[in-house]
């Protein structure tokens, strides 16, 4: 695995190909991004995460919370929009199908809420975010949006297990009725997940506002003049065990996972990264040819079972969307685990009420 990552880094393409990925660059980005779960293992070993509740009180590398969050999250929708607009013109690609535009619109809608509405209009305050967090999140979002952009544009690839095994066969077409059912399931899960994610976050924001007002009324609030006079700064409370918070402390995390699982399911019937390209080569704006050959993606071991399952079911394997789901879960899961530890230390096990972080009533998760 380490040699695979090292080899990818050594073969980084020219800057223009990183900004305007060719099919080969697209596969290279995927080859790197799919191994994020291995890097995220570090997050299980330390609770150090200088952002949000656990942000550092003072650091030369602290950035204003709202603008730092906006900067690192807005990369996802802006880069995707740019790629979907610029690559067809640069490489003379065919028009984007309507269904692919729907997937892009769902992705962008999520990030409009995440990057703009949530920090600037919903959150009562946001703690400073360390520069290191901003940079790492920016790279994550750039890799993710770049991978999704190539996939939505129809770049094709060959799925090769991480070893000497044969390539995984391309999934076949499914019937109209099954395709419709899968599409309804995927879209429903996306809408349900996004709705529950927003509702959970807004509940936390409301509880923070109410707690700040209670402190103010009791004249026990002593930090009003800090953080530019924001009375909600560093005011946190534990949600009561009701509604979506009845059995877990981070339903907004689980809801986001459901959202992206729905996105991947929807993508499995709309377009596949292993589907034949409509042409072999095409002149770009400079008059040269861009190869639409089928570069090889050496699948990470944890993706192989999903690829084989998709092939057995006769649906497409939306590689970037599945990679995003896996990476989102492996990134957020240790944060939720350490977040539960923080709740116990701050409010006590009694108020945690036996709830798990993301698994009902599992104290370690």
């Amino acid at each position: 695995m380490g040699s695979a990552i090292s080899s990818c880094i050594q073969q980084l393409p020219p800057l223009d190909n990183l900004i305007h990925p060719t099919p080969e660059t697209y596969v290279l980005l995927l080859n790197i991004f799919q191994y994020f779960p291995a890097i995220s293992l570090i997050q299980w070993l330390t609770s150090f995460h200088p952002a949000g509740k656990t942000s550092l009180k003072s650091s030369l590398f602290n950035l204003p919370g709202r603008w730092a969050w906006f900067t690192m999250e807005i990369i996802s929708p802006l880069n995707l929009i740019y790629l979907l607009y610029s690559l067809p013109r640069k490489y003379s690609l065919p028009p984007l199908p309507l269904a692919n535009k729907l997937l892009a619109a769902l992705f962008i809608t999520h990030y409009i809420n995440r990057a703009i509405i949530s920090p600037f209009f919903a959150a009562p305050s946001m703690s400073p975010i360390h520069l290191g967090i901003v940079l790492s999140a920016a790279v994550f979002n750039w890799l993710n949006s770049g991978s999704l952009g190539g996939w939505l544009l129809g770049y094709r690839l060959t799925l090769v297990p991480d070893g000497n095994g044969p390539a995984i066969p391309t999934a076949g077409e499914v019937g109209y009725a099954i395709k419709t059912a899968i599409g309804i399931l995927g879209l429903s899960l996306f809408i349900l997940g996004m709705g529950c994610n927003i509702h959970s976050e807004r509940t936390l924001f409301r509880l923070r506002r109410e707690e700040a007002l209670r402190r103010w009324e009791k004249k026990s609030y002593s930090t009003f003049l800090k953080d530019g006079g924001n009375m909600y700064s560093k005011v946190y409370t534990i949600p009561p065990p009701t509604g979506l918070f009845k059995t877990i402390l981070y339903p907004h995390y689980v809801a986001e996972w459901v959202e992206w699982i729905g996105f991947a399911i929807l993508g499995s019937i709309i377009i596949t990264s292993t589907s034949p390209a409509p042409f072999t080569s095409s002149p770009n704006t400079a008059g040269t040819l861009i190869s639409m050959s089928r570069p090889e993606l050496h699948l990470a071991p944890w993706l192989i079972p999903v690829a084989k399952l998709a092939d057995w079911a006769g649906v497409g394997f939306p590689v970037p969307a599945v990679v995003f789901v896996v990476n989102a879960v492996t990134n957020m899961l240790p944060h939720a685990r350490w977040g539960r530890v923080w709740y116990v230390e701050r409010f006590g096990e009694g108020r945690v009420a036996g709830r798990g972080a993301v698994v009902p009533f599992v104290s370690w998760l």
Side-chain angles (χ1 to χ4, degrees):
M1 181 177 66
S3 61
I5 297 176
S6 175
S7 176
C8 288
I9 295 176
Q10 292 174 4
Q11 299 176 26
L12 285 177
L15 179 61
D16 183 63
N17 284 2
L18 290 175
I19 298 175
H20 306 100
T22 62
E24 290 75 16
T25 304
Y26 156 68
V27 174
L28 176 61
L29 296 179
L30 269 177
N31 267 320
I32 296 174
F33 192 46
Q34 68 175 339
Y35 280 100
F36 175 83
I39 300 174
S40 68
L41 290 175
I42 300 174
Q43 297 171 287
W44 287 96
L45 304 177
T46 175
S47 61
F48 181 74
H49 186 75
K53 295 189 294 289
T54 54
S55 64
L56 301 176
K57 292 183 178 180
S58 60
S59 172
L60 292 176
F61 299 100
N62 275 355
L63 299 175
R66 297 186 197 273
W67 286 103
W69 184 267
F70 168 79
T71 299
M72 67 190 195
E73 296 297 335
I74 200 64
I75 289 174
S76 277
L78 288 185
N79 190 45
L80 182 66
I81 292 171
Y82 175 74
L83 294 179
L84 297 183
Y85 173 82
S86 65
L87 292 186
R89 288 160 176 77
K90 184 176 180 64
Y91 298 133
S92 299
L93 301 178
L96 201 67
L98 181 61
N100 297 36
K101 292 179 180 178
L102 170 63
L103 275 176
L106 293 176
F107 183 84
I108 292 167
T109 299
H110 169 90
Y111 277 95
I112 288 176
N113 172 70
R114 185 173 177 84
I116 300 175
I117 297 176
S118 185
F120 292 111
F121 300 99
S125 70
M126 292 194 73
S127 298
I129 301 177
H130 194 275
L131 177 62
I133 298 295
V134 174
L135 293 178
S136 60
V139 172
F140 181 100
N141 288 325
W142 177 76
L143 285 170
N144 184 46
S145 56
S147 300
L148 291 172
W151 167 59
L152 291 174
L153 287 166
Y155 286 0
R156 62 182 185 174
L157 49 82
T158 296
L159 303 180
V160 182
D162 192 5
N164 298 319
I168 296 174
T170 300
E173 290 293 329
V174 297
Y176 177 79
I178 297 177
K179 188 173 183 178
T180 301
I182 293 175
I184 293 174
L185 173 63
L187 185 59
S188 298
L189 286 177
F190 183 92
I191 295 173
L192 175 65
M194 185 172 183
C196 290
N197 173 264
I198 293 174
H199 175 73
S200 300
E201 284 197 334
R202 300 301 186 269
T203 298
L204 291 173
F205 295 156
R206 174 178 58 78
L207 291 172
R208 288 184 60 195
R209 289 188 174 92
E210 292 173 354
E211 177 64 18
L213 290 174
R214 278 194 294 269
R215 295 187 187 186
W216 179 255
E217 291 171 356
K218 292 180 179 179
K219 306 299 182 181
S220 61
Y221 194 86
S222 61
T223 59
F224 174 69
L225 295 179
K226 295 182 180 180
D227 193 35
N230 189 331
M231 66 181 295
Y232 307 107
S233 179
K234 284 297 183 181
V235 174
Y236 297 104
T237 186
I238 186 169
T242 59
L244 295 175
F245 294 90
K246 185 174 183 179
T247 59
I248 57 177
L249 293 166
Y250 287 83
H252 45 308
Y253 281 19
V254 177
E256 185 170 342
W257 300 341
V258 170
E259 185 180 353
W260 295 125
I261 289 172
F263 183 84
I265 291 174
L266 187 59
S268 71
I269 61 167
I270 289 181
I271 186 171
T272 69
S273 297
T274 54
S275 61
F279 50 85
T280 301
S281 61
S282 176
N284 62 14
T285 54
T288 59
L289 293 179
I290 170 175
S291 170
M292 291 300 290
S293 60
R294 189 179 291 229
E296 292 185 347
L297 174 67
H298 291 268
L299 283 176
W302 47 85
L303 295 177
I304 296 175
V306 186
K308 291 183 176 179
L309 177 63
D311 184 67
W312 171 83
V315 298
F317 180 42
V319 184
V322 173
V323 168
F324 183 26
V325 172
V326 173
N327 289 358
V329 172
T330 54
N331 176 47
M332 298 164 70
L333 193 57
H335 291 321
R337 188 260 179 185
W338 285 114
R340 187 189 188 281
V341 172
W342 183 90
Y343 274 122
V344 171
E345 292 175 348
R346 185 76 172 261
F347 300 102
E349 187 66 53
R351 293 188 64 186
V352 171
R355 288 173 286 177
V358 293
V359 179
F361 305 118
V362 176
S363 61
W364 57 273
L365 200 58

